[in-house]
């Protein structure tokens, strides 16, 4: 339940003015209005969070309540869908209804985002613009100005720096030789030179218990590793087939606009040969082999190229360097 309090003057008008964390709307509508609401929600999430109150008359600000049940009966997935369609990532918000003077009001409460900035990824008429970062200022939501954007980026860099320092300190305390890694991207737990593979269908459902919390909440499944691990399945436990590994080198070329040489360098750099999660060599004759690749590899390559545009050129440079070194040895 929201902690919003109605403060009314002698004429029945709201004392609370709109601010960086408070916005008023007289009524709640669907359609394009949802884009407008989510823009305000994103603006607050990019700042310090806030509330949108529905049922407040404009000029003068007077509580009149909602005149229908649209807000009460709204399916929150509709709002989530708009956020997903128009903005880079989700954030935390809650929706609730409250009563005041026998009238009903709606409140959307937005929490400050832990991952800033949230960026608009699609244009919608006059409401939102692709590439824009919306920010809540005092009494209005608009595209962010440089000082606020610089402040967000500086804080994100500092947060990442502190996180790295925390990880490094924990590794130092535990001892590098005792540290194991859980890679939630690949679905692997590294134990020295061995690996445990977690099925992706299970990985997507795992909820990890935060430090200091020892009780599962809201029925969320949790993964608990207890006792000793007496046996470890290596990558050979993955059995590739035509369905899981439908791609050839030519598919990688066409999908990412690469040459055959670039694909060869990429495969070498990724070092996926004989890793059945990504690669399945199929004997087609006594001295011939067809190499098949999985969806997991295609997804991995896509994300790598998004994050590191120079990855291909680096892979090719490393290959040339290795060839040169081999020639010198001979």
């Amino acid at each position: 339940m929201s902690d919003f309090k109605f403060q009314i003057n002698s004429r029945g008008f709201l004392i609370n003015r709109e601010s960086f964390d408070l916005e008023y709307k007289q009524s709640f509508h669907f359609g394009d209005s949802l884009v407008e609401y989510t823009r305000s929600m994103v603006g607050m999430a990019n700042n310090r969070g806030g509330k949108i109150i529905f049922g407040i008359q404009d000029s003068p600000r007077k509580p009149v309540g909602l005149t229908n049940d649209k807000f009460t009966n709204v399916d929150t997935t509709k709002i989530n869908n708009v956020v997903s369609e128009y903005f880079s990532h989700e954030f935390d918000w809650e929706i609730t209804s409250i009563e005041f003077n026998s009238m009903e009001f709606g409140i959307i409460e937005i929490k400050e985002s832990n991952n800033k900035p949230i960026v608009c990824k699609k244009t919608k008429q006059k409401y939102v613009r692709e590439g824009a970062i919306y920010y809540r200022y005092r009494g209005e939501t608009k595209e962010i100005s440089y000082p606020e954007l610089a402040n967000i980026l500086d804080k994100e860099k500092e947060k990442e720096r502190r996180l790295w320092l925390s990880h490094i300190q924990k590794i130092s305390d535990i001892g590098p030789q005792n540290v194991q890694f859980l890679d939630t991207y690949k679905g692997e737990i590294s134990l020295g030179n061995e690996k445990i593979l977690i099925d992706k269908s299970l990985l997507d459902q795992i909820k990890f218990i935060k430090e200091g919390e020892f009780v599962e909440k809201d029925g969320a499944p949790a993964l608990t590793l207890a006792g000793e691990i007496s046996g470890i399945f290596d990558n050979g436990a993955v059995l590739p087939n035509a369905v899981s590994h439908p791609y050839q080198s030519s598919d990688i070329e066409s999908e990412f606009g690469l040459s055959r040489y670039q694909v060869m360098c990429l495969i070498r750099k990724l070092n996926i040969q004989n890793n059945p999660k990504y690669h399945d060599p199929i004997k087609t004759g006594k001295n011939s082999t067809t190499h098949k690749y999985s969806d997991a590899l295609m997804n991995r390559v896509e994300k790598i190229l998004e994050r590191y545009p120079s990855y291909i050129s680096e892979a090719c440079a490393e290959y040339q360097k290795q060839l040169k070194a081999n020639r010198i040895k001979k």
Side-chain angles (χ1 to χ4, degrees), residues 10-55:
S10 58
R11 294 184 295 172
F13 302 151
L14 279 174
I15 296 175
N16 322 61
R17 295 187 176 184
E18 286 191 325
S19 62
F20 73 91
D21 63 351
L22 185 60
E23 180 174 344
Y24 297 127
K25 298 287 184 183
Q26 182 164 334
S27 54
F28 181 85
H29 301 286
F30 295 107
D32 291 344
S33 294
L34 290 181
V35 182
E36 181 183 354
Y37 303 153
T38 54
R39 180 187 63 197
S40 295
M41 293 165 65
V42 166
M44 292 179 178
N46 276 331
N47 194 339
R48 288 182 283 172
K51 301 179 183 68
I52 304 175
I53 315 296
F54 294 87

Side-chain angles (χ1 to χ4, degrees), residues 115 167 189 288 291:
N115 183 14
H167 289 333
I189 301 176
S288 59
H291 298 275

